[in-house]
Amino acid sequence: MLPLDHIGIATHDGLALEDLLCKLAQCTPALPEKIDPQGVQVRFYGSGTRLEILESIDISSAVALYLQKRGEGLHHIAFRIASAESQLNRLRAAGFTPLTENPVQGADGKRIFFLHPHDTCGVLIEFCQPMNQFAVTFEHCDELEETMKSTGYCIPAEQTIGHVVTSDTIPQNCQSVVIHNASSKFCRQRVRVPNVPILISEISDQSSFAYELFKQWTTAHLVILPESAQQTSLPAVLLDFWASIENE
Ligand code: CMX
C-alpha cells in the first residue's frame, strides 16, 4: 500500500487548532507555510504520517469556500508517491477524475494532485511527490528495493550517479554505498573501498559478517537490526543516511 503521508484538517483558526493538538497529542508548535497560488496556509505536525492544518488566507480560496459550505473538519488524506506524473496517468487510465490537468505545487516543494471525491467515497484524496527524493540503485536486494521504493522517497538512478544498496558488488562510482546483508563470500573478498560514505546494514543473527566488514572499513556506519525491525526501522535509517550526505 502507498504510505499515508498526511491527513489535512481545515479550520478557521490554525493557532486554536494547534493549541488543541498540543493538548490532545502533545504536538510541538509548527511554523506556517503559505501556498499563495491556492490561497491557503498550512502547518504540519509529527513524523511518519503527519497532521496538516489548513487555513484560508484568501476569502475566495477553495478552503474558504469549503469552510463556508461544510465547516471545520477533516479535509483530505494524502498518499505519498514517487512520481506524480506516472500516478496521475495511472489513476486517470483507471477511470478516476483528477481535479487538475497536471500536478501542482504543494507544501514543502511537493508536487501534488487531488482526485474528485465523487470517485473516492466522498473523501478528498491527495497524492504527493516529496521534493527530497534520492536516486538509488539496488543490486541483489529485491525485498529492500521494494520497501524503499514504496516509501515514495527513492527514484531510479538511471540518469545520474546516485546512492547504491548492494549485498554483492561495490561500484566505485557512486555517492554512497549501503552494504545490506552481505554474504560470507563477500566478506572474505578484500574489496577496494570507495571513498564515499558507507553504511553496513545487517540482521542481527548474521551480524558476524557485518562485524568482519566493519573491522576492515572503520569509517563505515554500522546498523544491526533484528529481522522484525528491518521493514519498520531500516527505511528511516537509510533515508536519514542519504539525507545527511545530500545536506552536507
Ligand atoms: N472533501 C470532500 N469533497 C470536497 C472537498 C473536500 N475537502 N473539497 C472539495 N470537494 C468537492 C466539492 O464539493 C466539489 O464537489 P461537486 O463537484 O459535487 O460540487 C468537488 O469536490 C470539486 O471541488 P471544487 O472546489 O469545486 O473544485 P476545484 O477544482 O476548484 O478545487 C480542490 C478542488 C480539492 C483542489 C480544492 O477544493 C481544494 O481543496 N484546494 C485546497 C488544496 C489544499 O489543500 N492545498 C494545500 C495542500 C498542501 C499539501 O498538502 O501539500
Side-chain angles (χ1 to χ4, degrees), residues 6-12 17 35 38-42 44 50-56 61-78 99 112-117 120-127:
H6 64 266
I7 296 168
I9 304 170
T11 178
H12 294 292
L17 182 52
I35 309 170
Q38 295 172 26
V40 70
Q41 170 170 286
V42 299
F44 283 94
R50 296 178 301 164
L51 284 176
E52 177 187 33
I53 291 182
L54 298 141
E55 271 176 292
S56 170
S61 72
V63 170
L65 300 178
Y66 174 88
L67 286 165
Q68 238 174 48
K69 204 161 131 188
R70 302 188 185 215
E72 296 180 305
L74 183 65
H75 183 263
H76 67 265
I77 65 171
L99 285 169
I112 66 170
F113 66 90
F114 291 88
L115 296 181
H116 196 296
T120 53
C121 212
V123 179
L124 181 64
I125 311 278
E126 176 188 325
F127 291 82

Side-chain angles (χ1 to χ4, degrees), residues 153-190:
Y153 286 108
C154 291
I155 51 172
E158 285 146 13
Q159 314 285 335
T160 161
I161 299 171
H163 305 280
V164 169
V165 179
T166 180
S167 63
D168 200 326
T169 50
I170 298 206
Q172 296 298 314
N173 200 5
C174 56
Q175 253 183 301
S176 76
V177 177
V178 173
I179 300 160
H180 179 62
N181 294 344
S183 64
S184 56
K185 180 171 151 256
F186 178 88
C187 296
R188 281 195 299 269
Q189 290 166 10
R190 290 279 152 178

Side-chain angles (χ1 to χ4, degrees), residues 81-89 103 111-113 127-129:
I81 48 173
S83 163
E85 266 77 17
S86 65
Q87 291 290 343
L88 185 60
N89 291 337
R111 291 168 56 65
I112 66 170
F113 66 90
F127 291 82
C128 61
Q129 174 185 342

Side-chain angles (χ1 to χ4, degrees), residues 45 48 62-63 117-118 175 177 182 209 231:
Y45 302 88
V63 170
H118 68 197
Q175 253 183 301
V177 177
F209 299 152
Q231 291 282 327

